Amino acid sequence: MTGEAPISVLIVDDQPLVRRGLSLILSPDPAFEVVGEAEDGERAVAAALRLRPDVVVMDIRMPVLDGVGATEELARVLPECRVLALSTFDMDEYVVSALRAGAHGFLPKDVSPEELATAIRTVHAGEAAVAPRLLTRLISAYVRAPAPAAAPTAPVVVAGAELTPREVEVWRLMATGLDNAAIALAMEISQSTVKNHITSLFGKLDVRDRAQAVIAAYETGLVTARTPD
């Protein structure tokens, strides 16, 4: 035992069987404490305000108030609470909306128990739990950019923030699905330098995590969706 408090989890899904299954997966692990369940987004927000969970595992498509609306409300009233979005489908436009609204990660419902546990730990740590290439596929499918952007040779301004050419290139490579190690290799710089550029980017773009930064890259036209083969 490490002495650390378990991660408290609220499970939200309109299907009782799914809620029960997720609870059965997490409850035996001392690293997690399932503190409650809810069957729609409205009840999820009320339960989160009452129970103050560390992480909400949130279904996207629900009655009364869907997961996108609930995520947006939680980001407003309980920003310290992390949301992990769930969807039946790998490619779901609602997932992009949930990430925009403030979700810290996304999982399809057919993931393994180990993947679920890892994702909850990741979002609890404040990081984005979305596989980089799955994130790029989602966003390129459902976010449309106004026009391709040329590679910059001087500082550029995005949403009032001045970005250096190096920052823009890190942003561009991030948006194509590369992780930090691959970005460092492509740019022939260290991973610590990549992390510094990313931290600066997040602040200048006023985004919370990698997912929102990639969405912004498509929305501003820095990168554009490729036509399917």
Side-chain angles (χ1 to χ4, degrees):
M1 297 291 291
T2 63
E4 295 181 359
I7 299 170
S8 57
V9 180
L10 173 66
I11 297 172
V12 184
D13 196 287
D14 62 335
Q15 299 181 37
L17 190 61
V18 173
R19 296 199 303 272
R20 180 63 173 162
L22 293 172
S23 181
L24 287 172
I25 288 171
L26 296 173
S27 293
D29 190 331
F32 305 107
E33 179 187 6
V34 177
V35 294
E37 298 179 10
E39 61 267 36
D40 61 56
E42 189 174 274
R43 287 181 171 87
V45 174
L49 287 170
R50 184 177 71 255
L51 299 169
R52 303 287 169 140
D54 297 315
V55 176
V56 177
V57 178
M58 180 86 74
D59 187 23
I60 293 294
R61 297 174 183 261
M62 295 182 295
V64 185
L65 179 66
D66 65 18
V68 176
T71 297
E72 187 172 23
E73 181 66 8
L74 283 175
R76 185 180 69 82
V77 301
L78 203 63
E80 66 274 18
C81 178
R82 313 288 182 177
V83 174
L84 176 62
L86 291 181
S87 174
T88 305
F89 310 102
D90 283 358
M91 297 295 288
D92 186 346
E93 62 184 310
Y94 280 69
V95 171
V96 176
S97 297
L99 293 170
R100 277 198 188 103
H104 286 72
F106 156 68
L107 287 178
K109 287 185 179 179
D110 61 356
V111 296
S112 68
E114 293 76 18
E115 289 171 318
L116 174 64
T118 297
I120 291 173
R121 288 187 175 94
T122 299
V123 299
H124 180 247
E127 300 173 12
V130 188
R133 294 201 177 275
L134 176 57
L135 176 64
T136 302
R137 281 176 57 215
L138 275 167
I139 294 171
S140 65
Y142 297 116
V143 178
R144 288 292 171 262
T153 56
V156 297
V157 176
V158 177
E162 185 177 281
L163 308 181
T164 68
R166 281 285 198 178
E167 289 171 341
V168 173
E169 185 60 16
V170 168
W171 190 20
R172 186 195 305 277
L173 293 172
M174 183 194 308
T176 64
L178 299 189
D179 60 17
N180 288 4
I183 293 172
L185 184 63
M187 295 183 65
E188 299 183 340
I189 57 179
S190 69
Q191 288 192 52
S192 62
T193 300
V194 172
K195 290 179 181 178
N196 289 340
H197 283 315
I198 290 174
T199 298
S200 177
L201 269 171
F202 287 0
K204 290 182 177 181
L205 297 173
D206 192 25
V207 298
R208 189 201 55 242
D209 58 28
R210 204 178 195 96
Q212 292 189 343
V214 175
I215 290 172
Y218 278 86
E219 288 179 330
T220 59
L222 179 71
V223 291
T224 56
R226 290 177 292 183
T227 303
D229 297 331

